[in-house]
Amino acid sequence: MATRRPLDGNTASPEQLVAEMVEWTTEDFLAAEPYPLPEITETMLSDYLDQLASPSEKGGSFLPGGPPSPVDDKDSKDAGLLAGFPYPPPFNQHEVLVPYTTYPYCTIGKLFFKQGTGSYVASAAAIGKNGIWTAGHCVHSGNGQPSGWSTNLVFVPGYKDGAAPFGQFTMKQLFCRTNWYQKGNPGGLFEDMGAAILNPLNGRMLSQVVGWLGFAWNFPRNQIWTSLGYPAAPPFNGMRMFQDTAPYANDGAVPGSPSPIGIGCSMTGGCSGGPWVLGLGSTNRVNGHNSYRPNDQPLEIYSPYFGDNAHSLMQLVVQ
């Protein structure tokens, strides 16, 4: 029996038995609400201003991704001064027009889950074996309680217009950073990171079916990312995948260190947990995700900075 890595600042849910899962129907998919993208206000942050800290960064590490199994390079590292942009920062956003069943888009999908009394949708990405990456608020409400865990979570890679071309992958166990679990919004937003181990489907691991994205951590902030996800709150409807290419804009003003990273983006609720990819179509490395936005800045979105904390959480679901 394999030994699970120590949690190291992460928190795990109880394992969910397959027998406890209830299959999501097409009607369930359509009835689920977009999970509200967490927002912050100056009032919420006023009690935390003295806790703000400078970002902590190292040289940069990564693991490669890979395409799916048959059925039977180098990212830019700008070590100079941070450039950034005033609000609204630049971005190029559009619907994904290539087939979602092609790599790397097939690694990205829609997340369906229940939290409290609600049924919600968000976004996630395959990161190896049966592991997926998403936002912490998609797997736990951040209330510090065992009752805050999401339940009946399924990942639908390549979802489009209600169709599940690769099927539904059900959850086995959920994980998030302990700071998110205990502090929520806004105190835990700097570690609003979530991950899950899924059950194989028809005897095949998720990575065998759709492949997986690589993973990068401790990289400089001056990068250009492609953010992907399924925005579902107006003016979007959650039926299609969108992508947003944008450079570093600024650091997030929330408590905790390292500070989150902001880019230009107008995606709405439902995009939560969608990956920020370095080198989309080439190196394909997850280096952030859609986490939150200031409530008065709808053209900006933030991700936790991916340091050793992100790597620690990632290892729990792919090793």
Side-chain angles (χ1 to χ4, degrees):
M1 183 176 179
T3 301
R4 180 69 52 84
R5 287 178 176 270
L7 291 179
D8 292 334
N10 305 300
T11 299
S13 75
E15 290 192 16
Q16 180 165 305
L17 301 177
V18 175
E20 297 173 341
M21 294 294 299
V22 177
E23 184 174 359
W24 290 69
T25 66
T26 300
E27 290 74 19
D28 293 331
F29 283 164
L30 298 177
E33 298 290 329
Y35 196 100
L37 195 64
E39 295 185 342
I40 57 169
T41 65
E42 290 187 10
T43 301
M44 292 169 63
L45 293 174
S46 61
D47 294 336
Y48 294 98
L49 291 179
D50 61 340
Q51 299 179 37
L52 296 178
S54 300
S56 172
E57 300 171 8
K58 300 180 182 178
S61 303
F62 66 88
L63 291 173
S69 304
V71 177
D72 239 57
D73 166 316
K74 188 173 184 180
D75 294 300
S76 173
K77 299 183 182 181
D78 183 355
L81 297 175
L82 296 182
F85 294 92
Y87 183 84
F91 61 93
N92 181 354
Q93 185 173 293
H94 59 86
E95 179 185 328
V96 172
L97 299 177
V98 301
Y100 298 2
T101 52
T102 58
Y103 184 82
Y105 294 98
C106 56
T107 64
I108 299 149
K110 202 163 178 177
L111 205 60
F112 296 85
F113 57 96
K114 296 182 183 296
Q115 199 175 100
T117 59
S119 296
Y120 298 104
V121 294
S123 305
I127 56 170
K129 296 189 176 180
N130 286 310
I132 59 170
W133 187 269
T134 187
H137 64 264
C138 298
V139 300
H140 193 274
S141 64
N143 64 359
Q145 301 297 320
S147 60
W149 289 110
S150 298
T151 59
N152 209 43
L153 180 146
V154 300
F155 177 61
V156 184
Y159 177 95
K160 184 177 183 181
D161 294 335
F166 301 103
Q168 302 180 31
F169 287 81
T170 60
M171 64 168 273
K172 179 179 181 182
Q173 192 170 20
L174 306 178
F175 302 83
C176 68
R177 291 294 293 171
T178 301
N179 274 316
W180 170 258
Y181 180 94
Q182 294 178 340
K183 300 175 183 177
N185 181 7
L189 283 174
F190 78 108
E191 287 200 320
D192 177 27
M193 306 175 186
I197 297 174
L198 306 179
N199 295 303
L201 183 62
N202 299 323
R204 303 184 75 205
M205 292 192 302
L206 174 65
S207 61
Q208 292 176 310
V209 177
V210 301
W212 70 100
L213 297 176
F215 202 87
W217 65 100
N218 289 328
F219 269 49
R221 290 172 180 255
N222 264 1
Q223 304 287 346
I224 296 175
W225 295 270
T226 299
S227 166
L228 299 108
Y230 287 85
F236 306 93
N237 62 17
M239 293 291 101
R240 301 287 180 91
M241 188 190 307
F242 279 74
Q243 69 179 57
D244 171 279
T245 302
Y248 165 85
N250 53 50
D251 292 347
V254 298
S257 177
S259 299
I261 293 173
I263 62 171
C265 180
S266 67
M267 286 195 275
T268 60
C271 78
S272 288
W276 290 14
V277 180
L278 293 177
L280 183 69
S282 56
T283 52
N284 298 308
R285 297 168 186 159
V286 179
N287 186 236
H289 62 262
N290 301 318
S291 172
Y292 75 94
R293 68 162 37 102
N295 72 330
D296 60 348
Q297 296 179 340
L299 300 181
E300 208 164 64
I301 201 165
Y302 287 79
S303 167
Y305 174 78
F306 275 27
D308 292 336
N309 51 3
H311 181 225
S312 169
L313 182 61
M314 178 271 290
Q315 288 182 299
L316 291 176
V317 301
V318 300
Q319 304 249 346

